Amino acid sequence: MNDHLLAQMIIAERLSKNHRSWQHLAADLKNSLAGASGESRTLALLKRELDLKADPIILTDLSLPYKEGYAQIDLLLLHQGFICVVEVKNIKGEFFFDSDNFQFHRRIDGRLEGMRNPESQLHRAVKAAEKILAVPVHGVIVLASRSGRVVEGPKNYPVVSLDYLPFYLEELVEKNGPFEIEALHRKLKSLSIKRFLPNLFERYQISEDSLRLGVTCPKCRDHSLSRANRKWKCMRCSCSFNDAHEVTLQEYAVLFGDELPTQFAYKLLGVEDKYLLYRLLEKSALQGSERGKRWIVPQRELLQAYFSSIYR
């Protein structure tokens, strides 16, 4: 799970279902989950079946600067014989690419609907990678669902089924290389990380005040816990938990960054006693040199475990 998907999950839990943007968010989250599933299957297949003399470096979920924005990359393979961007689509239906107008439609259940064009997305990603890496970059669109079929293909990039992807990549070897992939990898790692959240707030027309604060009950999921006798307790289901606040801190870090103002921490966790707050934050949000602020220790695995149990 990348931070963008985690942010959608977090907002979905903390935004009232009566909010005017709830249905929009829920639809986007469903699509993001399908996309993440396709990317996960693609990565697993490559690790299992890709047969190359030298191992590639496979990077996932990159946001590369492109013109005045960013290009999103599902998977980027760095191999001494080729560099390739993989655009994964885990969607059903019959697909129609219009490369002249860069439009894309699919037909499903007898209905024709327009969608964001995978070829345009891939083109942006390839151009962004070429500009940063200063080497030729290949691109391929992968259909992760067996319920998808291309009727009219794109002109500029190939479309392959997931099962065929390893064979396609093996045929790219020596077409452009050799490349110093460790140097290219270092160049990518030196890039600043894109902060995406303000766009999510704008997309769903919500503010920070729209989100429910407090430590979420892992069982009820839409109710905040109370702290008593060294435990977090739910007044709705009567369950108790030891460290439920750890997930809440990680949620905050995904949405707003690692810097946590101490005064806001009271509201975030729903506590009033400063000594209790100190104990709760002692190991999870460290004090720095700046008074009144703490820095949350990254533990994304807590969110991975929490949401994996929900979205199976």
Side-chain angles (χ1 to χ4, degrees):
M1 297 179 190
N2 57 51
D3 276 5
H4 187 276
L5 177 56
L6 287 172
Q8 286 181 310
M9 292 174 172
I10 294 165
I11 294 173
E13 281 208 344
R14 293 183 175 272
L15 185 68
S16 169
K17 291 181 173 58
N18 295 322
H19 193 280
R20 64 181 181 275
S21 295
W22 165 253
Q23 294 296 334
H24 184 191
L25 169 61
D28 281 356
L29 178 55
K30 181 180 179 181
N31 291 334
S32 295
L33 288 167
S37 175
E39 292 165 23
S40 178
R41 293 203 309 275
T42 302
L43 182 60
L45 177 71
L46 292 178
K47 290 182 176 180
R48 185 175 66 250
E49 297 191 12
L50 187 59
D51 185 12
L52 299 170
K53 291 182 179 180
D55 291 334
I57 296 174
I58 304 178
L59 306 175
T60 62
D61 188 44
L62 298 178
S63 292
L64 302 186
Y66 182 70
K67 295 186 176 179
E68 296 182 358
Y70 286 84
Q72 187 69 27
I73 294 180
D74 295 335
L75 292 106
L76 176 63
L77 282 82
L78 305 178
H79 185 265
Q80 62 185 26
F82 67 90
I83 311 297
C84 187
V85 173
V86 178
E87 176 72 23
V88 181
K89 288 301 168 189
N90 188 25
I91 52 178
K92 303 176 181 179
E94 295 180 322
F95 309 134
F96 301 82
F97 290 83
D98 180 352
S99 297
D100 294 329
N101 299 304
F102 281 98
Q103 293 180 335
F104 175 73
H105 296 82
R106 75 163 173 174
R107 184 162 54 214
I108 185 169
D109 299 329
R111 183 181 69 256
L112 193 66
E113 58 183 31
M115 299 181 68
R116 190 176 180 187
N117 190 353
E119 188 179 20
S120 298
Q121 294 173 268
L122 178 58
H123 187 68
R124 284 174 55 85
V126 167
K127 292 303 179 184
E130 286 183 333
K131 183 175 181 180
I132 291 170
L133 300 177
V135 298
V137 176
H138 295 275
V140 59
I141 299 169
V142 175
L143 302 182
S145 172
R146 290 190 174 91
S147 298
R149 183 174 73 90
V150 177
V151 178
E152 294 180 11
K155 294 180 180 179
N156 301 305
Y157 294 96
V159 180
V160 302
S161 67
L162 177 57
D163 293 337
Y164 184 74
L165 179 61
F167 304 105
Y168 171 82
L169 294 173
E170 289 161 12
E171 293 173 355
L172 292 181
V173 176
E174 307 302 338
K175 286 197 173 181
N176 296 114
F179 299 112
E180 295 290 339
I181 61 173
E182 292 294 345
L184 297 179
H185 190 200
R186 287 194 296 271
K187 188 179 292 188
L188 290 170
K189 290 196 296 185
S190 69
L191 298 174
S192 58
I193 298 174
K194 176 192 174 188
R195 290 300 297 169
F196 56 82
L197 189 69
N199 293 333
L200 284 184
F201 277 116
E202 292 174 11
R203 179 175 179 81
Y204 303 122
Q205 298 181 339
I206 59 177
S207 65
E208 298 175 16
D209 295 336
S210 304
L211 304 181
R212 172 182 53 81
L213 296 179
V215 177
T216 300
C217 174
K219 185 175 180 180
C220 298
R221 290 184 49 217
D222 62 355
H223 190 68
S224 296
L225 302 173
S226 300
R227 185 76 178 182
N229 300 322
R230 296 183 175 271
K231 288 186 178 293
W232 294 101
K233 297 189 177 182
C234 180
M235 304 304 293
R236 178 176 296 177
C237 67
S238 300
C239 291
S240 60
F241 310 90
N242 292 325
D243 301 312
H245 65 286
E246 301 282 7
V247 169
T248 300
L249 292 173
Q250 295 304 311
E251 289 179 327
Y252 177 90
V254 168
L255 295 184
F256 305 110
D258 297 335
E259 182 182 300
L260 174 64
T262 305
Q263 287 302 314
F264 186 76
Y266 287 101
K267 296 180 181 179
L268 177 66
L269 300 183
V271 299
E272 298 180 354
D273 185 270
K274 66 177 182 179
Y275 299 106
L276 171 59
L277 182 68
Y278 176 84
R279 290 197 301 271
L280 294 174
L281 301 181
E282 186 175 10
K283 295 181 180 179
S284 303
L286 306 180
Q287 286 182 317
S289 57
E290 191 171 351
R291 183 178 177 84
K293 292 183 179 179
R294 287 177 174 262
W295 279 263
I296 298 170
V297 178
Q299 296 183 78
R300 291 294 191 270
E301 64 274 10
L302 295 179
L303 293 181
Q304 300 275 355
Y306 177 73
F307 285 112
S308 292
S309 67
I310 297 169
Y311 299 97
R312 297 180 181 179

